[in-house]
Amino acid sequence: MAHRNAHLKNGKYLAGVIIIALVTTLLPLGAFAASNSDIKGHWAEGIIEEWLARDLAGGYPDGTFRPNNPVSRAEFVVFLNRAFGVQGGAGEGAVFTDIPETAWFYKDISAAWQAGIVSGYPDGSFRPQNLISRQEAAAILGKFI
């Protein structure tokens, strides 16, 4: 609990940023750094550049950020882990049947699961590629506020 409370110091600022992102579906993440090629002139260019500089967000293998794309469940968890400093312990992974250890988001989903931030579906899956609903995002975000 002390670990979680330490990350709440900047929680209100980050929560505000995340809420804005939820409304505008602005959180594409990936395992690769993005160039600024597709964010120049975008209304959120400044905040995207800040996220990139702080390593809160990344991009896609082709060097794009895709600021208007919807957000997957995996991307959202990765963003929150980076924003709040959630890190997993060694050796214990998530128990989800649809997340192989080779997935780029495996460690982040595992860390969030270990911290009690996320859970899966009754069938044992996490469905990482599904788009995150506002309800799911609010439930996860609520665990940080």
Side-chain angles (χ1 to χ4, degrees):
M1 190 59 108
H3 177 73
R4 184 174 138 191
N5 288 337
H7 298 294
L8 295 180
K9 185 175 183 180
N10 294 322
K12 289 188 181 197
Y13 168 76
L14 291 171
V17 170
I18 292 168
I19 290 169
I20 290 169
L22 287 175
V23 172
T24 62
T25 62
L26 184 64
L27 295 173
L29 294 172
F32 305 93
S35 71
N36 292 340
S37 64
D38 64 341
I39 63 171
K40 290 288 184 208
H42 190 275
W43 68 266
E45 179 180 355
I47 193 71
I48 294 169
E49 287 177 345
E50 181 181 333
W51 289 349
L52 292 169
R54 294 176 61 195
D55 197 31
L56 295 177
Y60 292 89
D62 65 359
T64 61
F65 188 80
R66 303 176 193 173
N68 295 316
N69 278 10
V71 181
S72 74
R73 290 170 47 86
E75 291 169 334
F76 188 74
V77 170
V78 171
F79 180 81
L80 286 183
N81 283 3
R82 291 177 183 179
F84 289 100
V86 175
Q87 297 178 355
E92 290 188 43
V95 296
F96 303 115
T97 58
D98 58 345
I99 301 180
E101 289 185 33
T102 56
W104 67 266
F105 47 79
Y106 175 81
K107 289 182 181 179
D108 282 288
I109 303 286
S110 296
W113 176 77
Q114 289 172 22
I117 297 165
V118 299
S119 58
Y121 291 92
D123 67 357
S125 67
F126 184 77
R127 303 177 192 166
Q129 302 303 334
N130 282 9
L131 300 182
I132 191 158
S133 70
R134 287 191 169 120
Q135 294 85 356
E136 291 170 327
I140 293 169
L141 184 58
K143 295 180 181 178
F144 288 101
I145 301 175

